[in-house]
Amino acid sequence: MGGLSTRRPGRAAVLAVACLAVALSAGCTGGDKGSAGAERTTAAGSTESPDPSENPPSPSPTTQRAEHVEGETVTKAPQVVDGKVLAAVADARGGQVLPLGGLRSGPVSIAVNCQGKGTLTVELRPVGLSFPLECVAGEVSSTYNQIALKNPRTDAVVQVTASSGVRWALSVGQ
C-alpha cells in the first residue's frame, strides 16, 4: 500500500512548525539582534536580554588570526607531526630550493613559521602542492599542511618564495 496519507497533522505539530517559523523569521531580520545590550523576542512573545556568553569580547587581532600559534619561532625549525624529517631550515630569509630526493607513497607534511611583513609561498614539486602564508611583523605566523601521495616521486623539491623582509623556518617530513 504505497498511497499517500491524508492524515492531518496534530495540534502539537502545527504549534511546533509555527514556533519554528517565528524563530527563523526573527533570525533573518537585518536588525541588531546580535549586538550587546539588544533585547530579542522569543517565540512565546516575551523579551529577554542576551546572554553575555553569546557575544564574548572581540579577541585582539593577533589571537584572531588562525595562523598565529603561541610559542612558535623562526629561530628553529618547526616540528612535523608524522614521520622522519626530510629537510629542515631555521632563520632563513628570501627564497630557497630544498632538495628532498625521492618521496615514497604516503603522507608528506610541511610545517612553516614566518615573521615579518609579507607573503611566503611554499611549493612541493613535482607534486603540485602550493600554499601561501601571510607573515606579520612582530609575531610568528604558522601553518601545517599534509598531502597523501598515491605514487612515489623522484627528485622532489620544496621551493620557498618570500619577501626580503620575511624570516622563516620550515620542516618537511614523511
Side-chain angles (χ1 to χ4, degrees):
M1 305 261 177
L4 294 173
S5 172
T6 57
R7 199 173 69 184
R8 298 184 70 175
R11 180 181 167 120
V14 171
L15 184 57
V17 170
C19 287
L20 181 61
V22 169
L24 289 175
S25 66
C28 295
T29 63
D32 211 11
K33 89 174 180 68
S35 64
E39 288 187 340
R40 61 181 161 210
T41 304
T42 66
S46 64
T47 59
E48 62 181 23
S49 296
D51 180 356
S53 66
E54 289 180 4
N55 295 315
S58 296
S60 68
T62 57
T63 59
Q64 193 169 1
R65 290 186 321 106
E67 298 86 8
H68 180 70
V69 178
E70 204 62 44
E72 288 293 328
T73 180
V74 295
T75 58
K76 66 177 190 170
Q79 291 186 354
V80 291
V81 174
D82 293 324
K84 178 181 129 186
V85 175
L86 302 177
V89 176
D91 209 14
R93 290 184 185 267
Q96 282 191 30
V97 176
L98 308 169
L100 301 176
L103 297 174
R104 64 186 189 280
S105 59
V108 177
S109 56
I110 303 174
V112 185
N113 294 336
C114 68
Q115 184 175 26
K117 185 167 176 50
T119 301
L120 178 136
T121 304
V122 177
E123 182 181 2
L124 177 59
R125 297 187 319 221
V127 175
L129 172 69
S130 178
F131 57 90
L133 178 60
E134 284 301 315
C135 308
V136 179
E139 69 180 55
V140 176
S141 298
S142 301
T143 191
Y144 183 89
N145 286 281
Q146 187 175 69
I147 187 168
L149 300 179
K150 289 184 178 181
N151 301 308
R153 303 294 202 286
T154 58
D155 300 324
V157 297
V158 169
Q159 180 171 349
V160 178
T161 308
S163 309
S164 61
V166 172
R167 294 173 49 208
W168 55 273
L170 173 140
S171 293
V172 180
Q174 183 177 42

